[in-house]
Amino acid sequence: MSEEQFQLLRGAGFVAAVTLALLLQRLSPHASVRGSWRVNGALWLVNLIVTGFVCGACACTVARWAAGAGFGALRAVAVPRWLAIATTLVTLDVVSYGWHRANHRLPFLWRFHQVHHSDQTFTASTGVRFHPGELLLSLPVRLGAVALIGAAVEAVVVFEVVFTVANLLEHSDIDLPLRLERAIGRVCVTPALHRRHHTKRGPDRDRNFGTIFSTWDRLFATYVANDSATAIETGLPGFDDLTFPRALGLPLGPTVV
Ligand SMILES: [Zn+2]
Ligand SMILES: [Zn+2]
């Protein structure tokens, strides 16, 4: 697979995820709030330019390098293709869990990650509200993981698409039927679970760090239940209605503990 095909597949996954998230928000809204789409959209555009410039298809390049060099854990054992893809998906998701947790634990990383949490509305566009600094800092972690796993390019694409869909859906203003929500939440992160992570006050911000699977939060004792019937005030105290320039400059200012 070429780097262009990799970018194309990832882009198609993003468009499909946005479409599905917006559709579900329309069909089954939780709070019917108007998202901070101006600031979030501007950040998304900056990130598209910055990450595209620095490392548009780096994960693909690293995966191809690892394949050529025979590098990575999955090359040391003979596993079927489907198992290699599943292992890559699960491993990159647990790495993302650890990275997200580090973003809350380490003050330097939190300076950037608080931009994501400063959205006082919780809608699909919150899923693209990241400071470019956070995305750049995460690159070595994810690329290092791809190399160490010895992930195939196709497995990285599967991960990127599933991760994008999960990320956009769990940030969406969606209510799910409670029984379905409970069933999905046993394995995957639901919007209600992640909404609780975005709570404006209290210790629950240090809970529910997962993106695809809720398994890691259960395993590492950071899981806290939540359902669509519960209203959660989201955002960060004192950071309401941030403009785009203020959001961009947030890592340089005071932090919310
Ligand atoms: Zn967080
Ligand atoms: Zn989030």
Side-chain angles (χ1 to χ4, degrees):
M1 186 186 300
S2 71
E3 292 183 354
E4 288 75 24
Q5 286 170 321
F6 178 87
Q7 297 263 52
L8 207 66
L9 280 170
R10 201 171 50 175
F14 179 75
V15 172
V18 170
T19 310
L20 184 62
L22 295 180
L23 191 71
L24 289 172
Q25 283 193 157
R26 179 64 67 90
L27 289 174
S28 182
H30 171 72
S32 296
V33 284
R34 193 177 152 82
S36 321
W37 61 270
R38 276 173 197 270
V39 175
N40 300 350
L43 280 168
W44 173 76
L45 202 60
V46 167
N47 287 329
L48 193 69
I49 295 164
V50 171
T51 55
F53 178 71
V54 175
C55 211
C58 265
C60 175
T61 314
V62 169
R64 279 168 62 181
W65 168 82
F71 189 87
L74 284 174
R75 298 212 161 74
V77 282
V79 288
R81 205 164 143 193
W82 68 266
L83 189 57
I85 293 176
T87 307
T88 300
L89 183 76
V90 167
T91 312
L92 289 179
D93 192 51
V94 74
V95 168
S96 162
Y97 166 90
W99 169 251
H100 188 185
R101 215 170 151 178
N103 272 267
H104 281 256
R105 177 67 67 86
L106 304 175
F108 176 72
L109 296 181
W110 172 248
R111 284 186 171 275
F112 296 92
H113 187 57
Q114 64 179 352
V115 173
H116 178 63
H117 280 266
S118 66
D119 196 344
Q120 67 190 116
T121 60
F122 187 82
T123 70
S125 76
T126 312
V128 296
R129 184 187 176 108
F130 289 99
H131 192 279
E134 177 177 343
L135 298 190
L136 291 176
L137 285 164
S138 74
L139 266 180
V141 177
R142 187 170 289 181
L143 296 179
V146 167
L148 285 173
I149 297 165
V153 178
E154 58 182 355
V156 178
V157 170
V158 169
F159 168 75
E160 296 251 355
V161 171
V162 174
F163 191 85
T164 301
V165 172
N167 176 55
L168 279 168
L169 286 183
E170 78 201 23
H171 283 99
S172 294
D173 184 51
I174 299 171
D175 262 0
L176 292 173
L178 289 181
R179 281 181 66 180
L180 176 69
E181 183 164 68
R182 228 167 276 148
I184 296 174
R186 282 202 188 100
V187 183
C188 292
V189 178
T190 63
L193 287 175
H194 196 65
R195 194 177 296 124
R196 189 147 181 187
H197 175 72
H198 277 256
T199 181
K200 194 167 193 172
R201 291 176 186 83
D204 287 351
R205 217 182 290 136
D206 287 326
R207 297 282 183 273
N208 297 356
F209 293 106
T211 299
I212 300 175
F213 300 111
S214 59
T215 319
W216 317 124
D217 283 299
R218 293 175 190 277
L219 205 61
F220 301 115
T222 52
Y223 178 85
V224 64
N226 192 39
D227 57 39
S228 289
T230 310
I232 302 254
E233 193 186 0
T234 55
L236 288 177
F239 283 43
D240 292 345
D241 295 320
L242 283 188
T243 58
F244 170 61
R246 267 210 72 200
L248 216 50
L250 216 56
L252 303 170
T255 56
V256 174
V257 183

